[in-house]
C-alpha cells in the first residue's frame, strides 16, 4: 500500500493517530504504575512510602536525567509483593493500551528489582503472564513479556536471574538490558546475551538513550540485538545511521520519555523525523507512561503536534511497529491490512 494515495485532511490527523492500530515495543511494566495504584498497593501490602500523598508523589516527578527518574521508579516498585499485584499493574496498563488501539505489546519487566526484595521470580512472571493471557482473550490485545537485566548490576547477577527465570521460559519471549546506561556499556553483558541467544530468546537492549553512538554499535556487534531501545543518539554518527537503515534494525523511540529526561530540550527538537527520513525503522513508544505524562496515543499526538509529522509518517510509524515486533510474518501482514483499512476509512477512498 502506498499511503500517499490517501488524502487525509490535516485536521483529521489527531483522530487518525488515535484510531490507527499500532504495536508498542518499548514499555516497562513497572513504569505504568500510576501514583493512585502505588498508594492502593502500599495500603494493601502494609508498605510505608516516603511520600504522604498521591499529589506529593506526583510532585516528585521532575526529572533532570535518567538516574533522577530511576531512583523514584525503583522506590515506586517497592509496593509490588504478591502475584495479584503484578497482575493488577499489568491489567491496568493493558486496558489503557487497548483504549489507544494498541493491538500488540511487548512489555519489559525488571525481575531483579523484585527478587532483591525477596519476591520470588515466579510470583512476578506468573502475575504478569496471567494478565497477558487475559488481554488476548478479553481485550483482543496480543501481549508478550521481555525480561530485562539491570545494567548497573553485574553480569554474574544477570546469569543468576536467567537461571531463576528458566523454569518460566515459555512465559517470556526475549531479554533486554535497561537501567543506568552511562558507565555500563553493552559489552559488560556479552556472555549472558550469547547464552540467551543459544536459548532461542529474542535480544534487545537500551542503547543511545543518554549513551554515545558507540554503545549502539556494541549493542549490534557484541550483543547482536535485533532491536535497539531508544537509539536516538545514533543520529550523531552517519555510518551508524547507514548501518541501521541497511539492516532494518528497529529503533524503539520514546518521545515523551526523552522530553521528561531532558534528552531533548523540547519535542519540536526531537529527531524522530530525521530518523524516519533517513529510512530507519523507527517506532513510537511510551517507555514509562505513568512517569512521563502519557501512554501511546499521547506520545503520538504531542510528537506530531510539535514536529509537524504527517499522515504518511503516521502510517510508516505504525507499519514499522508491526515490522519490528516479534510476531510471525502472517500476523504482521494481517495487522498492516488493518492499518491500511483504517487509513482508507479516513481518506474516504
Ligand atoms: N528503566 C525504565 N525506564 C528506563 C529507561 N528509559 N532507560 C533505562 N532504563 C529504564
Ligand atoms: Zn526504556
Amino acid at each position: 500500500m502506498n499511503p500517499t494515495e490517501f488524502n487525509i485532511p490535516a485536521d483529521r490527523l489527531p483522530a487518525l493517530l488515535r484510531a490507527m492500530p499500532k504495536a508498542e515495543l518499548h514499555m516497562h511494566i513497572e513504569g505504568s504504575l500510576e501514583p493512585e495504584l502505588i498508594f492502593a498497593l502500599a495500603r494493601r501490602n502494609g508498605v510505608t512510602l516516603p511520600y504522604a500523598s498521591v499529589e506529593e508523589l506526583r510532585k516528585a516527578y521532575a526529572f533532570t536525567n535518567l538516574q533522577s527518574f530511576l531512583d523514584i521508579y525503583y522506590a515506586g516498585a517497592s509496593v509490588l509483593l504478591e502475584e495479584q499485584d503484578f497482575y493488577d499493574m499489568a491489567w491496568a496498563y493493558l486496558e489503557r493500551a487497548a483504549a489507544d488501539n494498541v493491538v500488540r505489546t511487548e512489555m519489559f519487566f525488571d525481575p531483579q528489582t523484585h527478587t532483591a526484595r525477596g519476591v520470588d521470580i515466579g510470583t512476578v512472571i506468573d502475575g504478569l503472564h496471567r494478565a497477558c493471557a487475559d488481554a488476548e482473550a478479553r481485550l483482543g490485545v496480543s501481549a508478550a513479556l521481555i525480561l530485562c537485566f539491570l545494567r548497573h548490576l553485574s553480569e554474574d547477577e544477570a546469569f543468576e536471574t536467567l537461571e531463576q527465570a528458566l523454569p518460566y521460559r515459555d512465559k517470556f519471549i526475549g531479554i533486554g538490558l535497561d537501567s543506568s546506561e552511562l558507565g555500563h556499556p553493552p559489552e559488560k553483558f556479552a556472555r549472558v546475551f550469547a547464552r540467551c541467544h543459544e536459548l532461542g530468546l529474542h535480544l534487545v537492549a537500551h542503547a543511545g538513550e543518554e549513551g554515545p553512538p558507540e554503545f549502539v554499535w556494541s549493542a549490534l556487534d557484541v550483543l547482536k540485538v535485533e532491536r535497539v531501545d531508544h537509539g536516538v543518539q545514533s543520529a550523531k554518527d552517519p555510518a551508524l545511521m547507514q548501518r541501521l537503515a541497511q539492516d532494518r534494525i528497529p529503533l524503539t523511540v520514546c518521545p515523551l520519555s526523552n522530553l521528561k529526561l531532558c534528552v531533548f530540550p523540547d519535542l519540536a527538537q526531537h529527531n524522530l523525523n530525521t530518523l524516519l527520513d533517513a529510512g530507519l525503522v523507527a517506532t513510537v513508544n511510551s517507555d514509562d507512561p505513568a512517569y512521563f505524562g502519557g501512554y501511546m496515543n499521547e506520545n503520538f499526538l504531542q510528537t506530531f503536534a510539535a514536529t509537524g509529522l504527517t499522515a504518511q509518517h503516521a502510517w510508516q510509524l505504525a507499519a514499522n511497529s508491526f515490522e519490528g515486533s516479534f510476531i510471525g510474518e502472517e500476523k504482521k501482514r494481517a495487522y498492516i491490512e488493518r492499518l491500511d483499512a483504517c487509513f482508507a476509512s479516513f481518506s474516504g477512498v
Side-chain angles (χ1 to χ4, degrees), residues 87-122:
Y87 179 93
D88 291 345
M89 169 175 66
W91 187 254
Y93 159 71
L94 288 161
E95 282 191 315
R96 287 178 183 262
D100 279 359
N101 291 305
V102 171
V103 294
R104 165 75 179 173
T105 180
E106 299 178 4
M107 299 145 59
F108 296 141
F109 68 108
D110 288 342
Q112 289 160 301
T113 303
H114 313 299
T115 53
R117 297 179 291 109
V119 178
D120 189 85
I121 199 165

Side-chain angles (χ1 to χ4, degrees), residues 11 19 26 52 82 103 131 144-146 148-149 168 175 184 186 191 193 198 205 225 231 240 242 256 266 314 319:
D11 65 346
H26 181 165
E82 308 293 337
V103 294
L145 296 170
I146 296 177
C148 281
F149 300 120
Y168 306 91
I175 57 112
H184 303 283
R191 293 176 319 135
F193 268 64
E198 285 170 6
V225 298
L240 177 55
Q242 215 171 21
L256 286 178
D266 57 62

